[in-house]
Amino acid sequence: MMKKFIHIISNHLLMVKYFLRFAPVYFIVNFLFCIYVSFIDMLTGAYSVKYIFNGLSEGKSFKELFLFLGFVSLAMIVRHILGAVSAEYLSATAWVKLKAGMKKLVFEQARKMDLVYYETPKFYTDFVWAAAQSDEKMGEMYNSWCVFVARLSDLIFFGGFMLANDVVLMLFAAVMIVIRFGLNSIIVKLRYKMHIEAKPHERERDYITRVFYLAEYAKEIRLSNMHKTLFKRLKDTMDRIWEINDKTGKKITVLWTVAALSTEGFLDFFIYLYLCFKTLVTKTLKFGGLASLTGAVWNFAYRAGEFINVLTDMGEQSLYVDNFRAFLAYKPEIECQDGMDAPDKPSVISMKNVSFKYEGTDKYSLKNINLDIKPYEKIAIVGYNGAGKSTLVKLIMRLYDVTEGKISMNGINIRKYSTDSYRSVFGSVFQDYKVFAGTVAENVEMNFINDSRRKDIVKALQQSGFEDKLAKLGKGIDTPLTREFSEEGINLSGGEEQKIAIARIFAKKCSCVILDEPSSALDPISEYKLNQTMLMLSEHKTVIFISHRLSTTCMADRIIMLENGEIIEQGTHDELMSMNGKYAEMFNKQAEKYRVA
């Protein structure tokens, strides 16, 4: 039990460290204030009752009582002043700093996580729990810590008063604390088990809740009966959560009842009976002592109950900290790794016997890939959905590490390069690109805007085909995108957003361009113009692009055809067409559709 208690305190001290780091003044002032309040409670309660009652019976002068009450009143005034300063002034800024600090801590750790971790259920259990609850849990843990300090101070002050007057009372209190603590420990385990069982269902509930207020789902929900399916799933999910809570709630109710009967009943009957016996039978306790000890015992018992309850809360919160510790302890194998600087000129990228499978599955997404990409070469990767095209380029960019085999650049394993340096080689646009709630310039630069870069950003937008739209924007590249935070923001069409994303690669100084379906949202004419522009501007760069529209692949120096994670054909467009294989079949099917249209 002591080992567990030490672990709980250790976890809370970890969070105290963060509080001291982000809001030290508020924490220290409030910490001292909690101790001072406990002293005032004992002074104005048990000690004052004893002093006044005994003073009246012993004939103390009015002046003595006046001075004593004046001191007590002054102490109370100081308490209220300190309380106002802490609660109304220091607290307002401290929590802003704390939340900002904790979010930065969590998000910096999230940025270091390997992409493969995002694609596992564990990510949502660990990261989302840690990130979403960091503010709430930090507040809960700080409140618990304050209550812990306050109640511990209460027990010391009131316990010291009781020990000075009657040691037997402390024995009664000790029995009560042991019983209450044991039962509460069982309750902690039950609650934690309940949270673990409910967590998968809560994730499903949160997903359904999220769908109903996200704009991208609004049209489909209103134009279909999908809301009925979602309502049914929500009801089923809530029913499962209710069943888990109901089952655990019944057990906890029984335990709380046993705890109340064994402690409150024990206290109310035996302790008060003992005090009455000393006052009326043995006559070893004066009425002032009876009144003060009665108050002291009641206060000690009440504070002891709260102390045990807060230990229970701290035990539950400690389980969260265990997850938080594990989250912070995550060591990436890919992200933020040190190493050599990558070459800043187009280099040979070589894949030797590369195979890859996602974590938690035995099925290979890529199998035995052997491919050399020469400097300045224009490579097109084609294949049906699920062939492994996007996975291949993610491996090249080292968003994933290969399961088997090796990828090298200039003959050096890419794992030996600094991650940031290696990634700087590539400019990329993926089919699931995102536009952020920032200005046009920020969405192109993907960084802070330096005045010296503004002309380059405008040029990149012109090259991506966004020039006409840009000319209509009153604030130019300073126009905010989306109306998330500004009424002056604009919502772009899918094709316009894609041009913004494509402008990123024109604005970035890189030696290799990777385009995963870069023109899927553009009309055929815009697509043709864009591809022509890309090839012209990428003349001195290596280009790797994925496209479902095989008309664009005709421009490539070499075409790689993937099927079921393997390279089945490669060559120029003419060479593959003359082979009359899978590529030719795929190309002719698309051409036939265009002719029918």
Side-chain angles (χ1 to χ4, degrees):
M1 184 175 291
M2 181 55 66
K3 185 176 180 181
K4 180 180 178 181
F5 177 75
I6 292 173
H7 179 69
I8 291 173
I9 297 300
S10 173
N11 276 347
H12 275 261
L13 287 175
L14 172 68
M15 306 311 281
V16 166
K17 181 187 76 173
Y18 290 122
F19 215 109
L20 285 170
R21 174 178 167 186
F22 300 126
V25 175
Y26 177 63
F27 181 85
I28 293 171
V29 170
N30 220 28
F31 179 84
L32 295 175
F33 179 66
C34 289
I35 298 175
Y36 182 70
V37 168
S38 295
F39 168 74
I40 293 299
D41 287 346
M42 188 276 296
L43 176 67
T44 58
Y47 187 79
S48 292
V49 169
K50 180 179 180 181
Y51 187 89
I52 294 171
F53 271 68
N54 288 347
L56 292 173
S57 62
E58 293 170 1
K60 286 185 182 293
S61 67
F62 178 78
K63 180 180 179 181
E64 288 180 286
L65 293 174
F66 176 80
L67 290 174
F68 173 77
L69 292 174
F71 171 76
V72 172
S73 298
L74 180 61
M76 286 291 293
I77 291 172
V78 172
R79 169 188 173 173
H80 290 303
I81 292 174
L82 289 176
V85 170
S86 176
E88 303 301 331
Y89 173 65
L90 295 177
S91 175
T93 55
W95 283 104
V96 173
K97 291 179 179 179
L98 177 67
K99 289 181 179 180
M102 291 302 293
K103 285 186 183 297
K104 183 179 179 183
L105 180 73
V106 169
F107 294 154
E108 282 182 345
Q109 178 66 3
R111 189 185 68 84
K112 298 175 185 177
M113 289 185 160
D114 297 332
L115 184 63
V116 67
Y117 187 68
Y118 277 69
E119 297 169 348
T120 64
K122 186 174 175 56
F123 164 75
Y124 291 95
T125 301
D126 290 353
F127 168 63
V128 175
W129 198 1
Q133 298 192 40
S134 61
D135 292 350
E136 176 188 348
K137 289 297 181 181
M138 195 68 176
E140 289 179 7
M141 296 183 76
Y142 178 70
N143 290 334
S144 293
W145 182 253
C146 288
V147 174
F148 174 81
V149 171
R151 296 297 83 86
L152 182 61
S153 301
D154 289 337
L155 295 181
I156 292 172
F157 286 124
F158 284 105
F161 182 82
M162 290 165 61
L163 281 173
N165 289 272
D166 197 312
V167 177
V168 176
L169 286 176
M170 291 301 298
L171 297 177
F172 285 112
V175 173
M176 179 195 70
I177 291 173
V178 170
I179 294 173
R180 191 69 172 266
F181 187 77
L183 291 173
N184 280 24
S185 297
I186 300 173
I187 290 172
V188 168
K189 293 179 181 178
L190 287 173
R191 284 180 175 169
Y192 181 68
K193 182 181 178 182
M194 177 180 70
H195 289 318
I196 294 300
E197 290 181 2
K199 186 56 59 180
H201 307 302
E202 289 173 353
R203 278 171 42 205
E204 185 174 2
R205 176 202 62 193
D206 294 342
Y207 166 77
I208 297 170
T209 302
R210 195 164 63 246
V211 162
F212 275 96
Y213 66 73
L214 289 179
E216 53 260 43
Y217 293 98
K219 293 190 294 295
E220 282 78 3
I221 287 177
R222 283 156 180 76
L223 296 173
S224 69
N225 288 320
M226 188 62 189
H227 66 280
K228 295 181 180 179
T229 301
L230 293 172
F231 285 151
K232 177 64 167 59
R233 287 180 61 184
L234 180 63
K235 181 182 181 303
D236 293 342
T237 298
M238 296 303 294
D239 286 344
R240 287 192 289 272
I241 295 173
W242 181 88
E243 289 171 1
I244 293 169
N245 290 356
D246 178 66
K247 179 180 65 176
T248 306
K250 289 176 180 177
K251 295 179 181 178
I252 292 177
T253 299
V254 172
L255 290 171
W256 272 119
T257 303
V258 172
L261 291 175
S262 60
T263 56
E264 301 297 332
F266 179 85
L267 174 72
D268 291 342
F269 183 75
F270 288 102
I271 292 182
Y272 289 124
L273 182 65
Y274 169 74
L275 290 174
C276 290
F277 176 80
K278 289 195 68 175
T279 304
L280 299 174
V281 179
T282 65
K283 301 187 183 299
T284 54
L285 189 65
K286 297 179 181 180
F287 281 103
L290 172 64
S292 64
L293 282 175
T294 300
V297 169
W298 188 90
N299 275 288
F300 185 86
Y302 178 75
R303 263 64 171 191
E306 285 196 336
F307 182 72
I308 293 169
N309 288 341
V310 80
L311 287 180
T312 301
D313 293 338
M314 291 174 76
E316 291 185 41
Q317 293 154 3
S318 176
L319 297 171
Y320 165 81
V321 180
D322 286 337
N323 284 331
F324 190 73
R325 279 183 184 272
F327 170 72
L328 293 181
Y330 174 84
K331 300 297 182 184
E333 297 180 3
I334 299 176
E335 301 301 321
C336 303
Q337 300 299 307
D338 294 328
M340 303 168 54
D341 288 335
D344 57 2
K345 295 181 179 180
S347 308
V348 176
I349 300 173
S350 180
M351 307 183 77
K352 299 297 182 185
N353 301 317
V354 167
S355 295
F356 176 79
K357 59 183 177 182
Y358 288 93
E359 185 177 337
T361 179
D362 294 328
K363 182 181 178 181
Y364 280 91
S365 299
L366 293 172
K367 293 176 287 186
N368 199 34
I369 300 294
N370 288 280
L371 176 65
D372 290 328
I373 302 174
K374 301 172 184 177
Y376 310 108
E377 192 174 16
K378 310 301 184 270
I379 296 289
I381 301 174
V382 301
Y384 292 104
N385 290 336
K389 303 183 298 297
S390 294
T391 301
L392 182 64
V393 296
K394 287 176 182 177
L395 287 175
I396 291 174
M397 296 183 69
R398 211 191 168 200
L399 291 172
Y400 302 131
D401 269 338
V402 300
T403 305
E404 300 167 13
K406 182 179 73 172
I407 302 177
S408 60
M409 176 178 282
N410 268 1
I412 299 173
N413 193 319
I414 62 173
R415 297 188 184 197
K416 295 184 178 181
Y417 292 114
S418 156
T419 308
D420 290 340
S421 177
Y422 180 74
R423 298 261 180 81
S424 69
V425 168
F426 302 96
S428 61
V429 180
F430 290 98
Q431 56 185 323
D432 54 353
Y433 64 87
K434 297 297 179 185
V435 170
F436 297 89
T439 65
V440 171
E442 289 169 339
N443 271 280
V444 174
E445 187 74 350
M446 298 295 277
N447 203 338
F448 296 111
I449 304 302
N450 189 312
D451 287 340
S452 63
R453 291 280 297 156
R454 295 178 68 85
K455 290 183 179 179
D456 293 329
I457 292 170
V458 172
K459 184 178 179 181
L461 288 165
Q462 293 170 343
Q463 292 168 340
S464 72
F466 195 75
E467 183 177 10
D468 292 342
K469 182 66 177 181
L470 183 63
K472 298 176 183 178
L473 302 180
K475 292 188 176 183
I477 61 173
D478 296 314
T479 302
L481 296 183
T482 81
R483 294 180 180 175
E484 185 81 18
F485 306 113
S486 173
E487 292 183 0
E488 297 178 350
I490 62 169
N491 291 317
L492 300 176
S493 67
E496 291 167 341
E497 286 187 348
Q498 198 157 41
K499 290 175 182 178
I500 293 282
I502 291 169
R504 294 168 184 167
I505 62 172
F506 292 134
K508 184 177 180 179
K509 295 179 180 179
C510 58
S511 61
C512 182
V513 174
I514 293 182
L515 306 163
D516 186 351
E517 296 288 351
S519 54
S520 61
L522 303 181
D523 59 82
I525 295 176
S526 296
E527 179 188 40
Y528 176 78
K529 290 180 179 179
L530 177 63
N531 287 333
Q532 290 287 345
T533 303
M534 281 183 180
L535 289 176
M536 179 182 70
L537 296 174
S538 302
E539 182 181 356
H540 301 295
K541 298 180 181 182
T542 303
V543 179
I544 303 169
F545 65 91
I546 296 173
S547 178
H548 279 90
R549 293 178 182 172
L550 297 189
S551 56
T552 63
T553 64
C554 300
M555 304 175 185
D557 297 327
R558 185 157 48 118
I559 300 167
I560 309 298
M561 178 79 181
L562 288 178
E563 186 175 76
N564 297 323
E566 299 181 86
I567 297 176
I568 59 170
E569 296 175 5
Q570 60 177 304
T572 65
H573 172 74
D574 291 338
E575 288 172 347
L576 294 181
M577 291 300 293
S578 65
M579 289 171 57
N580 201 29
K582 290 287 181 122
Y583 174 82
E585 178 186 349
M586 188 177 181
F587 186 89
N588 288 327
K589 283 182 178 179
Q590 288 194 10
E592 183 65 28
K593 289 180 181 179
Y594 290 132
R595 284 194 290 270
V596 171

